[in-house]
Amino acid sequence: MNSETNCVFCRIDKSEIEAQFLHTDEFCFAINDINPVSPVHLLVIPKFHYRNFKEILDDDPKLVSHLFSLSDQLSKAHRVDQTGFRLVINQGGDAGQEIEHFHMHLLAGQQLDFPSA
């Protein structure tokens, strides 16, 4: 998938919008969320513009493994791998996805409530 010119995450990747990169490689990058909901709130974002999880699975299923592996590395780097963390993927507006570029939230650093189903 190509980058989208108005996508915030694509613009961050191209350094058009300033961000502190916690990690970057040829496939993805990680940054702090600008509106954190927990003491540790990181975003793991593929560099290619995928709107949702299905697009990644259809185009590059190995990227999924890479994103989860990076999340594990980040949990260790932030010393939350032992106390626990949550990975959240919001898909679509009804689920709370605000930016139409696939990304994962890594949440940790406090007791996280579990919403009832």
Side-chain angles (χ1 to χ4, degrees), residues 57-103:
L57 289 174
D58 289 346
D59 188 61
D60 188 2
K62 290 183 180 180
L63 179 57
V64 175
S65 176
H66 185 74
L67 296 170
F68 278 95
S69 178
L70 175 57
S71 297
D72 180 56
Q73 292 172 32
L74 290 166
S75 76
K76 291 174 183 167
H78 285 80
R79 300 177 185 223
V80 296
D81 58 314
Q82 298 297 314
T83 57
F85 62 94
R86 181 175 295 161
L87 291 177
V88 176
I89 300 170
N90 298 321
Q91 293 291 263
D94 285 353
Q97 184 178 10
E98 295 177 8
I99 298 171
E100 198 173 275
H101 181 128
F102 177 86
H103 57 286

Side-chain angles (χ1 to χ4, degrees), residues 20-26 28-31 66 70 73-74:
Q20 178 187 4
F21 290 91
L22 304 172
H23 171 90
T24 188
D25 62 36
E26 63 184 299
C28 63
F29 61 94
I31 58 175
H66 185 74
L70 175 57
Q73 292 172 32
L74 290 166

